[in-house]
Amino acid sequence: MPTLLLVRHGRSSANTSGVLAGRTPGVQLDDTGRSQVAALAERLAPVPLVAVVSSPLERCVATAEAVRAVAGPRGKWRHRPDLELDERLSECDYGEWTNRPLRDLAKEPAWAVVQQHPSAAAFPGGETLRGVQARALEAVRETDERVRREHGEAAVWCAVSHGDVIKAVLADALGMHLDAFQRVVVDPASLSVVRYTPTRPFVLRTNDTAGSTDALVPARRRRGRRDAVSSGDAVVGGGAGADPAPRG
């Protein structure tokens, strides 16, 4: 089955301002965020991405363009995919909470609900976190199936989105109730990896900000082998892990 790379955008001006920017237009990557994204793109350079899909907000588009720029062409089987925008990967609509200081929001009665019972959280004038999870899962599942049909089971693709959106997708893949999704950490410019199989999703990485990406090169490109996770069966005992991609 295809491999999905979930990428959070790099650090933005809003991330350090103490304000909940939400879907406010014009929020850009800051200098640190641009450096983070450049490093991530370099890490992903060996991985032959067949699709790059992004939230339409500027900070995600900038991140996705950086990743797409190194996606190819490098060799006969590399190509540079077009950037696709999907509203379903957009940031949560925080409604009346948008652009308010986090220190003030922490005093709101609804803050405790967001922290302790996210499945019951409804932002005034905005979305529910249940709704965010539902639309994000629809987006990644739908695109994953399209990638499988068009590019085959060994394909790798990338979705660039926001912290809470990725946390919600990972919670589902981990079989966690949405009320537990605050236990998941997704840092700026981090990489999380999920593979959906007919049996179950497999979470291969979470919040990776520095690891090698060699093992993400499709297995059939590496001596014609497929890893055990592709079958949908879990490896009893844990298995030996993926072989590193050959260098040179």
Side-chain angles (χ1 to χ4, degrees):
M1 304 302 291
T3 300
L4 164 60
L5 312 186
L6 290 164
V7 169
R8 184 183 172 193
H9 62 79
R11 197 180 81 174
S12 72
S13 54
N15 292 143
T16 57
S17 69
V19 171
L20 186 63
R23 296 183 176 184
T24 303
V27 176
Q28 306 288 344
L29 300 179
D30 64 11
D31 288 342
T32 296
R34 285 188 285 273
S35 296
Q36 290 172 334
V37 166
L40 172 65
E42 192 60 32
R43 288 174 59 214
L44 291 178
V47 183
L49 300 175
V50 301
V52 178
V53 186
S54 175
S55 156
L57 295 179
E58 290 97 326
R59 53 197 183 272
C60 283
V61 171
T63 301
E65 286 288 13
V67 169
R68 191 184 73 87
V70 300
R74 298 187 184 189
K76 295 180 180 179
W77 51 276
R78 299 301 298 272
H79 75 285
R80 179 174 288 111
D82 294 333
L83 177 60
E84 305 174 47
L85 302 182
D86 193 327
E87 289 279 356
R88 295 172 297 180
L89 296 177
S90 191
E91 179 64 287
C92 177
D93 181 356
Y94 294 112
E96 295 172 15
W97 282 27
T98 302
N99 282 328
R100 290 185 58 192
L102 292 170
R103 65 177 179 273
D104 292 344
L105 292 174
K107 301 173 186 176
E108 294 279 353
W111 181 269
V113 179
V114 173
Q115 296 299 319
Q116 300 171 23
H117 303 291
S119 66
F123 297 99
E127 284 186 289
T128 65
L129 285 174
R130 295 191 314 280
V132 172
Q133 184 182 53
R135 63 169 165 82
L137 288 173
E138 180 183 64
V140 298
R141 288 285 201 162
E142 181 182 290
T143 304
D144 197 71
E145 175 58 21
R146 173 170 61 85
V147 166
R148 186 194 66 78
R149 292 196 311 268
E150 295 179 358
H151 300 282
E153 307 235 345
V156 185
W157 67 284
C158 177
V160 182
S161 190
H162 307 266
D164 280 351
V165 179
I166 295 174
K167 285 166 60 175
V169 172
L170 288 173
D172 172 79
L174 289 164
M176 297 166 54
H177 195 283
L178 185 60
D179 283 347
F181 102 128
Q182 298 291 22
R183 302 181 185 188
V184 180
V185 176
V186 176
D187 289 327
S190 64
L191 172 67
S192 299
V193 182
V194 177
R195 187 172 296 150
Y196 293 102
T197 76
T199 307
R200 60 175 66 84
F202 286 91
V203 178
L204 307 182
R205 300 189 188 193
T206 62
N207 200 39
D208 177 0
T209 58
S212 169
T213 59
D214 286 349
L216 299 178
V217 176
R220 73 179 186 186
R221 305 290 185 185
R222 295 188 272 124
R223 304 189 298 280
R225 296 175 60 183
R226 291 169 59 88
D227 59 71
V229 169
S230 298
S231 71
D233 290 338
V235 180
V236 178
D243 291 335
R247 292 187 175 276

